[in-house]
Amino acid sequence: MNADERRDTIDRTGDSAPRSSETGVTTKTAADRAAVGFTGILSPLGIVDRGMAIFEAVVLAIGTLALACASVANVAGRFLFGQSLYFAEELSQFLVILITFAGIGFAARHGRHIRMSAIYDQLPDLGRKITMILIALVTAAIMFVLAWYSYFYVSSVYGTGRISPVTRIPVFLTLIWLPIGFAITGIQYILTAIANLTRPDVYLSVSVIDTYEDTETQV
């Protein structure tokens, strides 16, 4: 089949997916499959997921930009004017806490946490789905327990009335991201378990399908 005939075939079928030269069967890579959203009775979960995604993106963007600006301004002040920003180190510590604990939920949503998958990878699809559901539920439970304990820790710090020595910010405000981050991460893993229970594919997170993409590099 020449190039013109192939274009005609694509125009008629509306399918430009690669075809096997031996079998003529259309082959689609796993990357072509998009993650399915929550629909029907589960549509409120989709709203929750999108809301958390926006919250995480905004918090991480603001925190990262603020940390970068503070660091650059501190270095510039030191080398250009011989005077560092007196609050830069303390502010950077607060922002690192924010970015870290807001980022664990973001990483969970995008399936970016480190996984030990030597046994998991050898399982069939059903076995991987069951294992992923168990992993998601156990991890969610751990996250909620950590959120519970961190809430009491933040409450105890609030009770002491501690104030940061330089910026004079109440210390409990800088630690409030601990329970928030753990709780958001727990919710993400609950949504992952629900996604695996209600959808045919195996999901590493609510928006990431577990796939194997074999890419060949021509030497």
Side-chain angles (χ1 to χ4, degrees), residues 112-132:
R112 295 297 184 181
H113 283 296
I114 296 174
R115 298 185 301 135
M116 305 299 291
S117 58
I119 298 176
Y120 170 87
D121 289 341
Q122 307 305 316
L123 298 174
D125 289 344
L126 180 59
R128 287 191 292 122
K129 178 179 281 290
I130 294 173
T131 303
M132 184 53 64

Side-chain angles (χ1 to χ4, degrees), residues 97-178:
I97 294 173
L98 183 151
I99 293 170
T100 299
F101 287 93
I104 57 175
F106 183 86
R109 187 177 191 279
H110 293 275
R112 295 297 184 181
H113 283 296
I114 296 174
R115 298 185 301 135
M116 305 299 291
S117 58
I119 298 176
Y120 170 87
D121 289 341
Q122 307 305 316
L123 298 174
D125 289 344
L126 180 59
R128 287 191 292 122
K129 178 179 281 290
I130 294 173
T131 303
M132 184 53 64
I133 292 170
L134 292 175
I135 290 173
L137 292 176
V138 171
T139 306
I142 294 172
M143 291 297 105
F144 288 132
V145 169
L146 291 175
W148 178 259
Y149 280 107
S150 60
Y151 167 77
F152 282 107
Y153 172 68
V154 174
S155 297
S156 67
V157 173
Y158 171 76
T160 64
R162 287 171 52 194
I163 303 292
S164 60
V166 177
T167 57
R168 310 305 296 173
I169 296 174
V171 174
F172 84 94
L173 289 178
T174 68
L175 300 175
I176 201 170
W177 295 104
L178 278 69

Side-chain angles (χ1 to χ4, degrees), residues 72-93:
V72 171
N74 190 44
V75 172
R78 183 184 303 122
F79 284 98
L80 296 179
F81 306 106
Q83 180 66 46
S84 300
L85 297 178
Y86 70 94
F87 59 84
E89 181 178 356
E90 197 170 89
L91 179 61
S92 297
Q93 292 174 355

